[in-house]
Amino acid sequence: MEFKQGDRVRIEKNGTVYEGKVMPSMEGYITIKMNSGYNAGFSMDKVKITLLENNGESTNGSLNGGKESKEAGEEIPKPGKKLPKVAILSTGGTIASKIDYRTGAVTSQFTADDILTAIPELREIADFKGRVISSILSENMDSESWQNLARAVVEEIEAGVDGIIVTHGTDTMMYTAAALSFMIDTPVPIVLVGSQRSADRPSSDNAMNAICAALVAVSDIAEVSVVMHGTTSDDFCEIHRGTKVRKMHTSLRDAFKSVNSLPIGIVDYDTREIKTFIDYTKRGEKTLKFKPGMESKCALVKFTPGSDPSILDCYINGGYKGLVLEGTGLGHVSTKWIPMVRKAVNAKMPVMVTSQCLNGRICDRVYDTGRDMLKAGAIEGEDTLPETALVKLMWVLGQTDEFDEAIEMLREDLSGEITKCCFK
Ligand code: ASP
């Protein structure tokens, strides 16, 4: 019997049963995408295959409540009711990529419209318009790109959309999320989404992430958030606050985690419901405000045992305007680094201390190296992530040239980056 792409089948091999949807397969082999989201390939002559569902028409009952993705190219249902308007701004990254079989490398080739064609369910959630901002891998983003993107987001909100989705590479998504968080006061959701595996890979996470992102974009969570797989399975996505999120794994689908905070909530992929865990800014609570300006001459410097403090001199003499230090534990550098920290502060460069532990809060009052650092003029980043602290510093120095004002702003919680809490 022939099986078509999209057919749902049951495969029995050595007493084990696998069920899933037929994917593009090599001759003599059958590859299926299982409910877990992972694919499995079998040699056709070594297994028993039963057809369960013929490309949409059930022959043996629906296995997943009829929630399976429709194939690209299928007729897209016309929405019966008026749907919210969402703009998809594509910047590139894996979610917009496929393998170039000539070079074997993954390159960004899809636009927002291609994503809509590939994932037709999106059109049941909102009325989308696509806009290409760039087609780059996110390691190529910089503070200019963040500002161009922020400008485009603001234009779309001014034009009346109810939500924004930004498709983005995962590697630096947290920097962009933080940058948008500081630059925009938003009355509507701004959702960043990416995928760890490109659309043409069997275990791609792009469809589920994009669908979850769309559900958040039409929700009442009017914050900059990152929406990505919550586990390695296709069960739910997490909604992370843009200033509290970090990519914590190179390749797993649930690479993104909220640090020093619970996620804002989750999107159940099966029921399509959103459940929230912490307070968040609601739709319409804030008035749209665009505050561009980023000082790119800022650096994030990791302290390591025995490292030469003259590294800081390179920044001080190199025209840098501010530094974030990633210190050890509660926020330390060695005694040898302290004079250099003082030199930076005396040169009117704000120095903010964060921790390589990532989890927990800075407290420079416990050990003498910490107290010396505070005496030298460094400020504590509290429980801010180092990357978020860097973006905050860049943004603050893009807003003011006044050292004292900058220090005051850096100490404040500006966009959810500092959790108000006792030391943990
Ligand atoms: N290097 C890619 C990027 O960040 C990885 C990804 O998209 O997941 O653009």
Side-chain angles (χ1 to χ4, degrees):
M1 186 174 188
E2 287 281 311
F3 299 98
K4 297 187 305 301
Q5 201 179 319
D7 286 350
R8 180 163 279 281
V9 295
R10 174 182 296 130
I11 296 178
E12 288 170 61
K13 187 181 176 200
N14 303 333
T16 309
V17 175
Y18 305 83
E19 288 181 3
K21 197 164 127 181
V22 178
M23 303 285 295
S25 312
M26 277 171 17
E27 212 184 315
Y29 289 84
I30 183 164
T31 302
I32 59 166
K33 186 174 186 74
M34 297 183 290
N35 285 347
S36 63
Y38 281 88
N39 289 358
F42 303 88
S43 173
M44 299 264 287
D45 56 4
K46 297 210 173 76
V47 294
K48 181 173 170 233
I49 311 173
T50 316
L51 179 68
L52 297 175
E53 196 174 307
N54 186 356
N55 209 5
E57 288 159 38
S58 175
T59 57
N60 197 16
S62 173
L63 291 171
N64 64 350
K67 288 228 177 313
E68 200 55 62
S69 292
K70 293 179 184 66
E71 293 300 322
E74 235 180 89
E75 202 186 319
I76 295 162
K78 293 264 176 305
K81 57 179 173 106
K82 201 167 173 289
L83 293 170
K85 286 197 194 67
V86 170
I88 303 189
L89 309 188
S90 60
T91 65
T94 301
I95 192 161
S97 304
K98 58 183 178 186
I99 295 177
D100 179 338
Y101 287 100
R102 191 178 42 86
T103 61
V106 172
T107 50
S108 280
Q109 303 173 3
F110 287 1
T111 64
D113 286 332
D114 293 327
I115 292 169
L116 286 172
T117 309
I119 312 168
E121 291 100 317
L122 285 172
R123 300 199 191 248
E124 290 163 13
I125 301 169
D127 183 4
F128 290 97
K129 70 186 261 207
R131 178 164 168 183
V132 179
I133 307 299
S134 55
S135 293
I136 56 174
L137 294 172
S138 74
E139 46 272 39
N140 294 319
M141 299 287 279
D142 56 22
S143 57
E144 264 315 296
S145 334
W146 299 338
Q147 292 184 85
N148 290 340
L149 173 62
R151 200 163 290 118
V153 166
V154 169
E155 281 168 13
E156 294 300 332
I157 298 174
E158 280 170 346
V161 297
D162 300 294
I164 301 276
I165 295 178
V166 176
T167 57
H168 198 285
T170 58
D171 287 358
T172 71
M173 188 145 62
M174 62 274 197
Y175 293 87
T176 303
L180 296 181
S181 304
F182 293 119
M183 280 191 280
I184 307 172
D185 287 348
T186 180
V188 303
I190 301 174
V191 188
L192 285 94
V193 66
S195 74
Q196 288 278 79
R197 299 171 193 173
S198 57
D200 52 353
R201 291 193 188 218
S203 59
S204 179
D205 47 341
N206 75 329
M208 174 168 144
N209 289 348
I211 289 167
C212 291
L215 293 164
V216 178
V218 300
S219 77
D220 72 335
I221 303 172
E223 296 210 11
V224 176
S225 65
V226 166
V227 172
M228 294 285 289
H229 262 65
T231 71
T232 53
S233 299
D234 283 350
D235 42 11
F236 63 86
C237 284
E238 284 180 338
I239 310 162
H240 305 281
R241 179 159 285 149
T243 50
K244 280 290 187 201
V245 63
R246 199 167 190 280
K247 183 173 179 176
M248 301 294 272
H249 198 282
T250 55
S251 57
L252 285 181
R253 305 196 297 171
D254 61 339
F256 282 80
K257 300 287 172 214
S258 287
V259 180
N260 293 322
S261 166
L262 286 173
I264 296 175
I266 56 168
V267 185
D268 187 311
Y269 188 50
D270 193 37
T271 63
R272 311 263 150 128
E273 273 163 20
I274 292 177
K275 195 169 150 196
T276 58
F277 306 134
I278 56 174
D279 286 345
Y280 58 89
T281 308
K282 307 248 173 6
R283 182 179 284 280
E285 229 171 271
K286 283 194 180 164
T287 309
L288 179 66
K289 196 163 169 203
F290 182 34
K291 302 163 284 180
M294 283 272 166
E295 172 55 67
S296 59
K297 292 287 250 181
C298 293
L300 171 56
V301 186
K302 187 171 192 137
F303 168 78
T304 54
S307 51
D308 186 341
S310 67
I311 182 92
L312 296 188
D313 233 357
C314 301
Y315 292 108
I316 299 168
N317 297 329
Y320 274 72
K321 303 285 193 283
L323 295 175
V324 173
L325 301 183
E326 212 181 280
T328 57
L330 290 167
H332 305 121
V333 294
S334 67
T335 308
K336 282 190 184 159
W337 272 46
I338 304 290
M340 219 37 108
V341 171
R342 189 173 302 113
K343 185 171 174 187
V345 175
N346 288 344
K348 299 281 182 223
M349 287 172 73
V351 177
M352 173 141 69
V353 189
T354 59
S355 175
Q356 328 185 340
C357 296
L358 306 178
N359 287 289
R361 195 175 292 261
I362 292 300
C363 183
D364 276 315
R365 279 144 296 159
V366 179
Y367 298 98
D368 55 2
T369 45
R371 286 170 182 255
D372 291 345
M373 181 121 80
L374 293 180
K375 273 193 226 136
I379 53 171
E380 295 170 305
E382 308 262 354
D383 68 340
T384 310
L385 280 164
E387 296 83 6
T388 301
L390 174 68
V391 177
K392 180 178 183 179
L393 178 66
M394 293 169 79
W395 181 76
V396 164
L397 295 181
Q399 310 305 301
T400 179
D401 292 330
E402 293 299 320
F403 179 76
D404 292 341
E405 193 186 355
I407 296 294
E408 213 173 291
M409 288 171 80
L410 287 168
R411 285 191 204 279
E412 265 172 54
D413 171 32
L414 302 176
S415 193
E417 73 280 8
I418 297 175
T419 347
K420 287 179 207 68
C421 169
C422 45
F423 176 72
K424 273 193 189 149

